[in-house]
Amino acid sequence: MPAPVLDLVPQLPPATRERLESAGIDLSNGYPSWPERPTDLKLAASVRAGAREHKDPGLRADPSKKNLFGAAKQVINLSQHLGTEIVGLQLSQLNDAQKDELALLIAERTVVFFRDQDLTPQAQRDLGAYFGEVEVHPSAPQVPGLPGVSIIWDRLTGTNDNGFRNPFGTQDWHTDLTHEKQPPGITHLHNDTIPEVGGDTYWASGYSAYDKLSPAFRNIIDGLSAVYRSAHSYPNPDDPNGERIPIERTHPLVRIHPVTGWKSLFANRKYTLRIVGLEPAESKAILDYLFDLYERTLDIQVRFKWSPRTSALWDNRVSIHAAVYDYEGKAPRHGTRVSSLAEIPYFDAKAPSRRTALGLDKPEDFEPKKPRVY
């Protein structure tokens, strides 16, 4: 399928254009660039369909994180369960020991932030390649000359209908690329341009969502699998003129993080379709409860206010996130994203939850709650 023709160089925010041109990005052929999209579902599903070896760099890290923390001016935990900001370090200058410890920190704290970064798209891709194979999306817009560096910019939605009553789609809670055979581990979004007010992002912890469940409910969902779909859909090769179809793949509903060894809920309302082996009504009842728990439990979430030239690195294996579209497209917000593919999701019944592993649970935490009387 021919790539779409869309040149938005004249509309690039000044800070974005300065970043790209300073990095030597060639904008003479337009911005963004688009891959040659797969012409049908089978071709799209064949992308990265083979197994790939993944060795998480967090497994090599010093648990004390002395190389990373010792070089930082300040380490700030933004909430009890997730979110840490590192002050005074440049991502482009981290050594291998610091990168390993950063991978471990992300695995433990879900999302880590770095402000005031002098980061080229090339350096962002190089860092992503250290964490795992860089995902090259078959349908997403890219920085010219840099496959794997995707563009996050609401100017690329192809519609002007977004607004207060119809917000931009990333405001929905989701996890990226769950349809992949080996979905991303660490994803890195660098926002070079943000609105003066608004445009925050939420993250929620899959570890803590799982920890909120009773032992009896955990026994219900442990070991179950679910079907996950892609954000993009493709022509059906058996019915080219029929309805376009997304890619679907099956993964554990509860997965284990290979670095922490903790159980995490692996479900999101936008892309988790159904639980394998259950009747549709049964699947819907369980998934709706899990979605609501994940999205509405405030003490397992963090909301981050961006500033220009800020990076967020989060672990897709153990989180959901949502971008707030309260600026309604009236101010520019532009970023580049690199996703590092990880292992094939797996489940281990013997693995602990986060709170169990850290010794935070008390017996009374598991006593059934009495109904409230109002």
Side-chain angles (χ1 to χ4, degrees), residues 19-232:
R19 178 187 175 219
L20 297 173
E21 291 181 339
S22 297
I25 302 299
D26 183 4
L27 301 177
S28 63
N29 293 320
Y31 185 89
S33 66
W34 296 82
E36 192 70 23
R37 298 183 180 184
T39 55
D40 63 51
L41 180 67
K42 289 183 178 178
L43 289 174
S46 69
V47 175
R48 293 182 295 275
R52 287 164 162 76
E53 183 181 10
H54 175 72
K55 293 183 178 179
D56 200 297
L59 293 169
R60 301 190 295 263
D62 182 333
S64 72
K65 308 175 190 70
K66 62 182 180 182
N67 298 286
L68 184 69
F69 290 169
K73 291 182 179 179
Q74 195 174 7
V75 179
I76 306 168
N77 286 336
L78 304 183
S79 75
Q80 288 291 335
H81 298 284
L82 75 164
T84 297
E85 183 174 344
I86 303 292
V87 180
L89 288 180
Q90 290 293 320
L91 287 165
S92 61
Q93 298 175 13
L94 297 182
N95 60 37
D96 287 355
Q98 291 170 327
K99 293 173 188 175
D100 292 345
E101 292 171 11
L102 175 57
L104 174 58
L105 181 64
I106 296 168
E108 294 173 344
R109 296 289 298 170
T110 303
V111 56
V112 179
F113 304 98
F114 294 79
R115 297 187 189 271
D116 301 318
Q117 296 296 296
D118 294 321
L119 187 71
T120 66
Q122 296 94 324
Q124 185 180 2
R125 187 178 66 169
D126 290 345
L127 181 60
Y130 187 87
F131 294 135
E133 179 183 342
V134 170
E135 180 265 345
V136 180
H137 200 289
S139 300
Q142 303 170 349
V143 172
L146 290 177
V149 184
S150 300
I151 298 165
I152 307 299
W153 189 19
D154 56 3
R155 289 293 300 149
L156 300 175
T157 62
T159 176
N160 294 319
D161 296 335
N162 296 315
F164 180 71
R165 294 188 180 276
N166 182 37
F168 187 42
T170 53
Q171 182 161 290
D172 298 331
W173 285 101
H174 64 286
T175 302
D176 296 334
L177 303 169
T178 51
H179 71 282
E180 290 273 356
K181 183 170 184 176
Q182 296 181 221
I186 294 173
T187 287
H188 177 184
L189 174 61
H190 179 84
N191 274 334
D192 45 53
T193 303
I194 54 95
E196 184 175 347
V197 178
D200 299 353
T201 303
Y202 281 94
W203 281 266
S205 166
Y207 296 137
S208 296
Y210 183 83
D211 275 326
K212 290 285 186 179
L213 300 172
S214 69
F217 199 94
R218 294 178 195 177
N219 288 337
I220 294 173
I221 65 171
D222 278 2
L224 293 179
S225 295
V227 177
Y228 303 79
R229 71 169 180 87
S230 61
H232 294 82

Side-chain angles (χ1 to χ4, degrees), residues 163 202 226 268 271 331 336 346 350 362:
Y202 281 94
N268 71 94
Y271 300 127
T336 51
Y346 67 95
K350 297 180 181 179
K362 303 182 294 294

Side-chain angles (χ1 to χ4, degrees), residues 351-368:
S353 71
R354 173 182 176 272
R355 289 182 64 85
T356 297
L358 297 179
L360 300 176
D361 282 331
K362 303 182 294 294
E364 55 267 30
D365 293 335
F366 298 103
E367 295 177 359

